[in-house]
Amino acid sequence: MSAVMIARKVRKWEKLPGKNTFCCDGRVMMARQKGVFYLTVFLIVGTCSLFFAFECPYLAIHLSPAIPVFAIVLFLFVMALLLRTSFSDPGVLPRALPEEATFIEMEIEAANGNVPAGQRPPPRIRNVQINGQIVKLKYCYTCKIFRPPRASHCSICDNCVDRFDHHCPWVGNCVGKRNYRYFYLFTLSLSLLTIYIFTFAIVHVVMRSVDSGFVKTLQDTPGTVLEVLVCFFTLWSVVGLTGFHSYLISLNQTTNEDIKGSWSGKNRLQNPYSHKNIVKNCCEVLCGPAYPSVLDRRGLTQDDLPVPASTATQSNPVPQTTKTTAPLIPNEHTPDDAKPSIADSAIAHAEKRSPSPKKEIPPTPTKVPPLASPETDVEASVIIAKEKAL
Amino acid sequence: MSTEFHNLQELRHSVSVATKVFIQRDYSQGTTCRFQTKFPSELDSRIERTLLEDTVKTLNSYYAETEKMGGQSYLEGCLACATAYLIFLCMETRYEKMLKKISGYIQEQNEKIYAPRGLLLTDPIERGMRVIEVSVFEDRGSSGSSHSSSVSSGGSSQR
């Protein structure tokens, strides 16, 4: 029975659960629906092209050559920030590996004690005290973790995101801890660009109309009309959004918390993350450290080791492994279904598990479940008995 | 007492994991990265309390230093902003440098302290900065020669 050796480099991003799309071999990470993002790019690039084609030649000569130069700088700044917001990992929290999920399950069981039959078990909540305030951490049934404070699960991307702000279709990605400052600077610079183009388009029309008349000006530069229209409507939304996020930053709040009214003051709940100082809050959000991604998208999975053809077909990618653990933990809506005992499920799951992603353990021993099995108990007791006999 | 593992290599090739213990995050001071220094009871028999606590406290101090809001972080932030964050394409951030240092520290601690006791710490970055995973290894019989000889001699003496 000869085995065919298959060696293929599989990077971790190919096995990540969640509904993200990846490009450039894992360097780029976005949400699945990208249509509105393409519209954003088209609007920005299109409007700026019209500005450079129609306004800039006239204004460079009649006013100042600095005008197009500044416009180019601002345009490049806006595009760089947009692409950074859209393409970066917003702060996705990886799902719990089976051992961690089991450990958390056991802790929950221990904390809940015996639930009388027919009664719903209490909701899975962990209370932590942050800066003197009690904050409830909710359990995520998809990711099998207790969400850290300020994290939330995005249903569009199907990931828990740290310091989740909102999912923005205009940038085609979630906005979270890692890319919030890029998002804010994008909206700020886009506001400036919009105001800039709008102002100079009007100035251009006025200056030209003085020479040639209003109607002839519009006939000479039809692009101007389009620019003014786009900028007018964009102004209200983008400037408003920038203002809203400036308010949130000064209070160190996220959009998600603002919408839910987490720190609105009722029930005496104050924001425990705020430094109570606008400057400090702004500095923390905008000038804080650049957090690294914990996803390791471009790392190699264990599948890059040569595997015999027979086992290669059996090996399940991680998302399927995650799904096979679903029966282990009941979903949010049916918590009172009879749950299999944790030990049995852990053993059954471990036996189904494909070659482990851990570097140090070769495939064969992964058949041994993480919790003690009858075989290991017998062996251990034999060893202990023999050592005592010596 | 159970057999000793003389180095990390031997540990990785010859044994399998019996159980894992997870040291959780400590959120009492906010969302900055910090792990609980409470000693897990499952490790009582495997390692001295102070050794693990020292390791966790040192890790906490490294993370606190990385996330500290100070002159250097503001300077890095402002400089990066001025270049539209393109500078991050060529330069390593402070956080990334510190993560390398932490990874080296954990490797060193594993080699010196944890592997000889049959334990292995996993870098928190590999678990999404949620937990410090401590793998507890049990000897599986095909490990070092000292162990197998004690089994065989015990077996022969029993006959």
Side-chain angles (χ1 to χ4, degrees):
Chain A
M1 188 162 43
S2 62
V4 174
M5 300 304 250
I6 299 171
R8 183 174 98 82
K9 269 194 182 169
V10 176
R11 294 201 188 258
K12 286 183 185 170
W13 65 264
E14 298 179 59
K15 299 289 172 72
L16 279 176
K19 295 181 191 159
N20 291 100
T21 49
F22 297 91
C23 308
C24 302
D25 201 18
R27 290 182 180 89
V28 165
M29 179 174 175
M30 292 182 76
R32 215 166 256 188
Q33 294 99 358
K34 298 184 279 290
V36 188
F37 166 70
Y38 293 136
L39 177 67
T40 309
V41 173
F42 172 74
L43 282 174
I44 297 174
V45 172
T47 313
C48 290
S49 310
L50 289 175
F51 183 73
F52 293 131
F54 292 104
E55 266 78 11
C56 288
Y58 185 88
L59 290 171
I61 299 165
H62 289 83
L63 262 187
S64 162
I67 294 171
V69 169
F70 191 69
I72 290 173
V73 168
L74 204 49
F75 168 70
L76 291 173
F77 200 74
V78 167
M79 287 310 292
L81 287 170
L82 170 64
L83 296 179
R84 203 161 246 277
T85 312
S86 302
F87 294 167
S88 58
D89 170 11
V92 170
L93 296 168
R95 298 190 183 186
L97 292 175
E99 291 95 2
E100 196 187 334
T102 317
F103 183 83
I104 295 175
E105 267 287 297
M106 280 162 51
E107 276 194 340
I108 295 170
E109 293 276 306
N112 287 345
N114 285 327
V115 180
Q119 267 194 24
R120 232 162 222 271
R124 297 179 174 200
I125 289 190
R126 198 181 261 177
N127 288 325
V128 294
Q129 194 174 61
I130 299 178
N131 292 328
Q133 172 110 300
I134 300 286
V135 174
K136 292 184 192 304
L137 302 186
K138 281 191 181 159
Y139 182 77
C140 181
Y141 284 89
T142 314
C143 304
K144 314 270 190 307
I145 56 169
F146 275 101
R147 288 186 207 125
R150 314 193 93 174
S152 191
H153 191 93
C154 175
S155 48
I156 301 171
C157 302
D158 203 23
N159 290 316
C160 270
V161 178
D162 206 356
R163 204 187 184 277
F164 179 72
D165 195 82
H166 66 287
H167 181 96
C168 185
W170 297 97
V171 303
N173 204 357
C174 287
V175 178
K177 181 166 85 167
R178 289 192 73 239
N179 64 355
Y180 184 64
R181 79 191 67 185
Y182 310 135
F183 174 76
Y184 175 72
L185 291 170
F186 163 66
T187 56
L188 184 64
S189 53
L190 186 61
S191 307
L192 292 173
L193 183 67
T194 312
I195 294 171
Y196 191 84
I197 291 181
F198 187 72
T199 313
F200 282 105
I202 305 278
V203 164
H204 165 253
V205 167
V206 166
M207 283 178 72
R208 258 215 164 131
S209 301
V210 167
D211 294 335
S212 359
F214 185 65
V215 177
K216 189 165 182 305
T217 305
L218 291 184
Q219 282 171 346
D220 287 340
T221 57
T224 311
V225 180
L226 205 58
E227 281 170 56
V228 170
L229 267 173
V230 171
C231 287
F232 183 74
F233 289 113
T234 310
L235 253 176
W236 295 111
S237 44
V238 176
V239 171
L241 192 66
T242 311
F244 174 62
H245 279 283
S246 307
Y247 162 76
L248 287 181
I249 288 175
S250 66
L251 294 177
N252 201 336
Q253 268 192 30
T254 63
T255 307
N256 198 38
E257 287 164 356
D258 187 70
I259 287 174
K260 285 185 186 167
S262 309
W263 316 122
S264 57
K266 67 172 183 201
N267 302 332
R268 300 253 199 103
L269 282 174
Q270 302 272 310
N271 187 354
Y273 314 109
S274 169
H275 299 278
K276 314 276 188 264
N277 177 330
I278 290 177
V279 176
K280 270 194 180 172
N281 284 338
C282 292
C283 286
E284 188 196 306
V285 176
L286 298 176
C287 300
Y291 299 97
S293 170
V294 298
L295 277 187
D296 189 23
R297 307 188 291 277
R298 289 179 44 79
L300 294 167
T301 60
Q302 280 305 103
D303 288 4
D304 70 335
L305 298 176
V307 289
S310 51
T311 55
T313 47
Q314 287 169 23
S315 66
N316 294 324
V318 169
Q320 288 187 4
T321 311
T322 314
K323 290 193 182 99
T324 57
T325 61
L328 176 68
I329 297 166
N331 66 31
E332 206 161 354
H333 303 292
T334 57
D336 43 10
D337 286 352
K339 290 179 281 192
S341 79
I342 303 301
D344 290 346
S345 313
I347 291 166
H349 157 70
E351 282 168 358
K352 276 192 260 177
R353 196 173 55 182
S354 57
S356 159
K358 290 179 197 29
K359 297 181 271 284
E360 59 268 19
I361 301 170
T364 325
T366 56
K367 297 277 192 287
V368 176
L371 303 175
S373 74
E375 292 84 43
T376 46
D377 277 348
V378 166
E379 218 179 295
S381 59
V382 165
I383 292 166
I384 291 166
K386 284 177 179 168
E387 283 181 5
K388 280 185 183 162
L390 292 170
Chain B
M1 200 38 205
S2 54
T3 52
E4 291 188 4
F5 303 99
H6 298 286
N7 56 30
L8 211 51
Q9 284 294 98
E10 204 181 278
L11 186 75
R12 284 176 179 172
H13 291 301
S14 59
V15 298
S16 70
V17 188
T19 183
K20 293 190 186 204
V21 180
F22 297 93
I23 299 173
Q24 305 284 341
R25 280 273 293 268
D26 172 16
Y27 294 114
S28 60
Q29 292 176 14
T31 49
T32 51
C33 189
R34 211 185 135 77
F35 291 95
Q36 289 180 357
T37 46
K38 190 179 71 133
F39 189 78
S41 49
E42 296 92 337
L43 298 176
D44 253 333
S45 54
R46 301 300 292 248
I47 189 166
E48 293 83 17
R49 193 171 277 257
T50 46
L51 284 173
L52 184 64
E53 282 178 4
D54 279 343
T55 309
V56 177
K57 280 184 185 153
T58 315
L59 284 175
N60 284 342
S61 70
Y62 283 144
Y63 287 122
E65 196 191 312
T66 322
E67 298 191 13
K68 189 179 62 172
M69 300 291 157
Q72 207 186 357
S73 83
Y74 293 153
L75 198 62
E76 192 189 44
C78 292
L79 178 71
C81 179
T83 62
Y85 297 97
L86 295 170
I87 202 167
F88 286 155
L89 295 171
C90 0
M91 197 181 85
E92 212 180 39
T93 62
R94 250 181 81 229
Y95 214 113
E96 282 163 355
K97 286 185 193 138
M98 188 55 95
L99 285 178
K100 284 196 177 151
K101 190 171 151 191
I102 287 170
S103 177
Y105 172 75
I106 290 179
Q107 170 89 350
E108 181 212 322
Q109 291 280 293
N110 273 332
E111 278 167 9
K112 284 194 199 154
I113 300 178
Y114 295 94
R117 290 169 173 79
L119 300 172
L120 190 72
L121 290 186
T122 306
D123 196 336
I125 195 90
E126 291 176 32
R127 297 289 177 265
M129 300 290 256
R130 275 197 313 270
V131 287
I132 301 178
E133 186 182 285
V134 184
S135 307
V136 182
F137 288 91
E138 293 294 337
D139 192 12
R140 289 280 299 163
S142 58
S143 65
S145 55
S146 57
H147 173 73
S148 53
S149 63
S150 73
V151 170
S152 55
S153 63
S156 60
S157 70
Q158 288 243 321
R159 271 183 238 128

